[in-house]
Amino acid sequence: MTLFEKSVAGRSAFSFGFEEDRAVAERYIPEFARAAVKSLPQVAELDLVRHFTNLATMNYSVDTGFYPLGSCTMKYNPKINERMAADPRLTARHPLDDAAGNQGILQMEFELKESLQEITGMDDFTLQPACGAHGELTGMLIIHAYMRDHDAKRTKVLIPDSAHGTNPASASMAGFQVVTVPSNERGGVDMDALDKLMDDTVAAIMLTNPNTVGLFEENITRIAELVHARGGLLYYDGANLNALMGLIRPGDLGFDVVHLNLHKTFATPHGGGGPGAAPVGVKKFLADYLPIPVVVCRGGQYALDENRPHTIGRMSGFYGNTAVLARAYVYIKMMGRDGLLATSRAAVINANYVKALLSPYFPPAYDRPVMHETVLSAKGYDKYGVTLLDIAKRLMDYGYHPPTIYFPHFPPYAEEVMMVEPTESESKETMDSFCDALIKISQEAKENPDLLLSAPHDTVVTRVNETYAARHLITSHRDKKGT
């Protein structure tokens, strides 16, 4: 019997030693959880601290290692952002307090709006949306409301097959019919297909630029001219704006609506379902459709404006996710105009550097310069009995999180591809080490494929028996014994 087992032996459920503790547990712990837990141990604080500290060491994060997930921009979040978000002058305020009592927060949000307007070329912003997909929905609801008032027959939205994966769902939820636009051989929008699809029933086209395979849309000015000439609007999915800041403004390219992922471009936390924020910017003719309230400045005083005649209503409570907005505000102020430009340049340089090092071993899906990420192919390793999944599993033994693999929006003719995004945060030494690991794995695949087929070997959780898992599904928190 282990020390842990001895500590719980003979104790009834929730045996804390005090009746009031038992009452608290029974009040706040759901009945199903109480029924599942046979007993709760009494352990020393030191044992408890060590238990959770050891669990923490099993986690992989950007703070502990390189996280090359393409399309996700898992970059470093400066700790000064966290200090700002935890400042009592921010956390001690209450959103139900009047504007006079929250001038500091409102000023911060207003200045953040101004910065985002300058960065994107938009005329106004809402800070309410709580994540990227929520921002997409907000933008599409604005377009839907505008078309309802001006051209109600426009009920379709065009979405390239290289767009961000949540675009179709967001457009559909806003009430639009989704029509897919195919890509051409260079990974951009097929202009002939767009020309045929762009009729008087199309409200907008949603573009991710650079797109989800890391390529800049070469025909963006032609697309803008075509769509606008036929009465449609351009929606910009800003998921990959970290490749363009300071280089190009979406508003100058012809986009009418923009959403920004603060967790990707402006260094706020990413993953775990939140926290998140995705401000939405619009051109002046759409400003009245923004969600209310909108932060404004009148006579040197900051206020929440609810007078938007065509507003789509609230998209979230109060001011939006203020703590996340504060993190982005600090990041932008700290970086400045030159810093944001340097960030984008570094992101592009890093991605092309990784592409150049790995191309002899994993050919690129597209033979052209990339922006913030690169798509590489492991096609051909099947002759050694190795798949891309095996390569990704083996990479974990070298201490790296695998890149994105088998992404649904990879080009249909590019088999066994992975998407690598180094971000601007990573040093040349880190990228060299990561590429060296993949090059070694390439050699291992040819000389000792069994090493890959059984990988990973050095992680807390080793290779899962996928065949067994597929045939013996556990769909409940209870196991087959009912415990």
Side-chain angles (χ1 to χ4, degrees), residues 111-419:
E111 291 182 5
L112 175 60
K113 270 183 49 180
E114 289 187 313
S115 295
L116 297 179
Q117 288 166 204
E118 174 62 23
I119 291 168
T120 62
M122 292 290 120
D123 297 318
D124 207 348
F125 261 88
T126 175
L127 304 177
Q128 285 191 28
C131 69
H134 198 206
E136 293 172 18
L137 177 62
T138 300
M140 295 315 294
L141 287 173
I142 289 172
I143 292 175
H144 189 276
Y146 176 81
M147 289 301 175
R148 176 198 62 208
D149 293 344
H150 294 84
D151 197 348
K153 69 177 179 296
R154 294 184 179 270
T155 59
K156 297 178 183 177
V157 168
L158 305 182
I159 302 179
D161 58 9
S162 62
H164 204 211
T166 50
N167 285 181
S170 298
S172 179
M173 289 178 66
F176 289 111
Q177 176 187 346
V178 174
V179 180
T180 301
V181 183
S183 297
N184 59 26
E185 67 282 355
R186 288 181 57 78
V189 171
D190 185 319
M191 292 303 296
D192 291 335
L194 177 63
D195 182 58
K196 294 175 182 177
L197 293 170
M198 190 61 220
D199 58 28
D200 62 3
T201 66
V202 173
I205 180 170
M206 297 182 79
L207 283 175
T208 308
N209 191 28
N211 63 24
T212 309
V213 291
L215 301 175
F216 186 80
E217 180 52 64
E218 297 172 314
N219 294 314
I220 183 57
T221 54
R222 291 177 57 199
I223 292 171
E225 292 169 358
L226 173 62
V227 173
H228 282 152
R230 299 187 186 177
L233 301 180
L234 265 70
Y235 179 93
Y236 180 77
D237 183 319
N240 301 330
L241 185 70
N242 58 306
L244 298 182
M245 288 186 298
L247 295 170
I248 294 176
R249 304 197 310 174
D252 298 338
L253 295 176
F255 287 96
D256 304 293
V257 183
V258 168
H259 98 259
L260 305 177
N261 292 26
L262 298 191
H263 58 279
K264 297 180 73 172
T265 304
F266 299 104
T268 71
H270 189 168
V280 172
V282 296
K283 288 294 190 177
K284 188 174 182 178
F285 72 95
L286 293 170
D288 279 348
Y289 291 89
L290 286 171
I292 55 173
V294 178
V295 183
V296 296
C297 183
R298 296 172 179 149
Q301 293 293 305
Y302 299 94
L304 294 172
D305 179 19
E306 306 238 5
N307 184 25
R308 300 281 166 141
H310 302 287
T311 179
I312 62 170
R314 284 183 177 269
M315 292 301 292
S316 66
F318 306 116
Y319 309 166
N321 200 338
T322 305
V324 173
L325 299 173
R327 290 174 171 95
Y329 174 83
V330 172
Y331 180 76
I332 292 172
K333 292 295 185 182
M334 180 175 65
M335 298 296 287
R337 185 187 301 270
D338 293 341
L340 293 177
L341 174 59
T343 291
S344 293
R345 284 177 170 164
V348 174
I349 291 170
N350 284 1
N352 281 280
Y353 180 69
V354 168
K355 173 176 174 283
L357 289 183
L358 293 178
S359 290
Y361 310 92
F362 302 96
Y366 296 98
D367 188 19
R368 52 177 285 202
V370 298
M371 296 298 287
H372 61 299
E373 60 194 2
T374 181
V375 177
L376 305 170
S377 175
K379 184 179 179 181
Y381 285 87
D382 55 344
K383 62 187 175 185
Y384 307 111
V386 169
T387 68
L388 177 60
L389 179 64
D390 300 319
I391 293 170
K393 295 289 188 183
R394 178 59 175 156
L395 188 58
M396 297 167 70
D397 285 330
Y398 285 87
Y400 295 108
H401 193 290
T404 304
I405 63 174
Y406 302 127
F407 196 67
H409 292 277
F410 284 146
Y413 51 83
E415 302 174 13
E416 292 284 283
V417 288
M418 56 183 166
M419 183 157 54

